[in-house]
C-alpha cells in the first residue's frame, strides 16, 4: 500500500527534528522515518561534493526503509544536493529552501529580507537565489551564524552568551532595515526568542520547517499518497552515532519525549 508508506526525513544530525515537529503537527497521521547523520555532522562546513555524497547515502537509506517521499530537512543539503537527489531517486524530494524563500517573499512588505544560515548555505546564496527568482526586486542580506548550531545543541536557548553572540552576528542585519528574517538552518528555531529580541520585534521570523511541512502536505495530496490511517503516525529515529547528549537534545528539538533510537552504520551500508 503506497499510501501507508512513511515519509522519510534526513538531516546532518538531530537539528532536523525541528522540521519533524512541524511535519507531525501538519500531518499527524503520517508515519515518519528520520535519519540524522550524527556521526558526520556538521555538513555546514563541508565541501559541496561531500554534502552531495552524504545526501545521496542518507536518501538511499530512507528509500531502503520504503519511504514515499524524502524531505531534506537540512538547509545545507537542501541548498546543494536537491538536483542530484531528484536525478537519482524517483520519489518526490522536498527541500526546505524553496518553501522558506516563498514564505519570506509572501511576508515581506518593504522587500528587504535577511537570511541567516550555515557558512555553506550562505556561501551558496541558496536563499537569495530562490527569493530573487520569485521577485528580483527584493533585496536579500545574508549572514552566516555558525556558532548558533553548537549553542542550540547545548540547550542555551536563553543564555547570556547566546544574547552576546546573537548581538555580534545580527548587528549588520539590524542596520539593513529588513522586515523579514529567514531562519535558514535546522537549529535556529530553537533560538528564535533570542534572535527575535536582538533583531527587533517588528521583524517577522520565517521558520522554513513550517513552510516545508505545508509543501509536503500539498505534494502528497497532489500525488494521492496521503495515508488513510485514523491513528497518529509512528516516528522511527535512526542515527549514524548516538552522542551522549542525544536524548536531551532530541527532546529539546522535538519538544516531547523520544523513544528508542537505532544506530546504523551509514558508510557500511553503501560499501560495494
Ligand atoms: N542541519 C544543518 C543546516 O540546516 C545545520 C548543522 C550542520 O552544519 O550540519 O544547515
Amino acid at each position: 500500500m503506497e499510501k501507508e508508506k512513511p515519509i522519510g526525513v534526513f538531516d546532518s544530525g538531530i537539528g532536523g527534528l525541528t522540521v519533524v515537529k512541524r511535519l507531525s503537527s501538519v500531518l499527524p497521521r503520517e508515519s515518519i522515518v528520520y535519519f540524522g547523520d550524527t556521526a558526520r555532522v556538521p555538513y555546514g562546513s563541508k565541501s559541496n561534493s561531500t554534502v552531495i555524497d552524504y545526501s545521496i547515502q542518507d536518501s538511499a537509506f530512507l528509500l531502503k526503509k520504503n519511504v514515499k517521499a524524502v524531505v531534506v530537512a537540512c538547509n545545507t543539503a537542501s541548498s546543494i544536493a536537491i538536483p542530484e537527489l531528484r536525478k537519482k531517486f524517483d520519489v518526490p524530494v522536498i527541500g526546505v529552501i524553496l518553501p522558506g524563500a516563498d514564505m519570506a517573499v509572501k511576508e515581506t512588505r518593504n522587500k528587504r529580507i535577511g537570511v541567516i544560515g550555515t557558512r555553506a548555505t550562505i556561501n551558496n546564496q541558496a536563499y537569495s537565489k530562490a527569493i530573487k527568482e520569485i521577485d528580483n526586486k527584493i533585496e536579500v542580506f545574508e549572514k552566516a551564524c555558525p556558532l548558533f548550531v553548537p549553542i542550540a545543541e547545548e540547550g542555551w536557548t536563553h543564555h547570556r552568551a547566546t544574547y552576546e553572540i546573537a548581538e555580534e552576528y545580527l548587528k549588520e542585519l539590524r542596520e539593513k532595515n529588513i522586515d523579514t528574517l529567514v531562519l535558514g538552518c535546522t537549529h535556529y528555531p530553537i533560538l528564535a526568542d533570542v534572535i527575535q529580541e536582538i533583531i527587533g520585534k517588528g521583524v517577522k521570523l520565517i521558520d522554513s520547517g513550517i513552510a516545508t511541512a505545508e509543501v509536503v502536505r500539498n505534494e502528497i495530496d497532489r500525488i494521492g499518497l496521503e495515508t488513510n490511517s485514523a491513528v497518529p503516525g509512528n516516528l522511527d529515529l535512526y542515527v549514524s552515532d548516538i552522542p551522549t547528549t542525544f536524548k536531551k537534545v532530541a527532546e529539546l528539538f522535538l519538544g516531547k519525549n523520544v523513544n528508542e533510537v537505532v544506530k546504523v552504520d551509514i558508510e557500511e551500508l553503501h560499501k560495494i
Side-chain angles (χ1 to χ4, degrees), residues 11-12 41-45 73-76 118 121 149 184-187:
D11 178 46
S12 55
V41 67
Y43 285 8
S45 52
C74 179
N75 286 254
T76 304
T118 64
T121 300
V149 168
C185 174
T186 47
H187 290 58

Side-chain angles (χ1 to χ4, degrees), residues 95-107:
V96 290
I97 306 286
L98 290 183
D102 196 46
M103 196 182 208
V105 170
K106 287 190 179 117
E107 200 58 48

